[in-house]
Amino acid sequence: MNFSSRSKVAWIAIITGVAVMGDAMLFIVLPLFWQDFGLTEIWQIGVLLSINRFIRLPLNPLVGFFYKHFQLRTGVFIALILAVITTLSYGIFEGFWMLVIMRALWGVA
């Protein structure tokens, strides 16, 4: 398919919006229904909501290195796949450690 520049920007915006909605949902749902996620302590909420940002800090140089060798399209596709997997996992998996892994993967995405 041959997309115009405007169409490419629109698609990236839509993809990003949908992916971010899954992440933003946790900020509302997790503090209210933390026990339904299989959490046992309230501090686990804070860890889950922040772990993705701690993952991004050391990964930023690696992402820059990645984009020196691969196209933007490849990076967006990988991020999209990871975002879909992690967002779906919030409704499938229970328990602190599995959710930590998924939130860390979201940080990679």
Side-chain angles (χ1 to χ4, degrees):
M1 288 191 285
N2 192 9
F3 291 110
S4 69
S5 293
R6 188 177 190 147
S7 177
K8 288 178 185 177
V9 170
W11 276 107
I12 292 293
I14 291 167
I15 290 167
T16 302
V18 170
V20 170
M21 278 189 340
D23 180 58
M25 174 271 309
L26 280 183
F27 285 90
I28 296 167
V29 175
L30 194 58
L32 296 174
F33 301 102
W34 57 279
Q35 292 171 325
D36 294 333
F37 282 87
L39 303 181
T40 57
E41 302 288 336
I42 200 157
W43 61 266
Q44 293 170 332
I45 298 167
V47 171
L48 288 173
L49 293 179
S50 63
I51 192 70
N52 63 314
R53 281 148 178 91
F54 288 116
I55 293 295
R56 287 180 185 166
L57 289 172
L59 283 184
N60 279 341
L62 297 175
V63 171
F65 180 76
F66 175 87
Y67 281 116
K68 286 182 182 179
H69 300 286
F70 296 95
Q71 294 180 350
L72 177 65
R73 175 182 288 177
T74 303
V76 170
F77 183 73
I78 292 169
L80 174 63
I81 296 300
L82 290 175
V84 167
I85 290 169
T86 57
T87 301
L88 288 174
S89 74
Y90 303 150
I92 296 171
F93 298 122
E94 285 185 15
F96 178 70
W97 290 109
M98 194 61 183
L99 291 172
V100 165
I101 292 168
M102 290 297 110
R103 290 294 289 166
L105 196 56
W106 169 256
V108 172

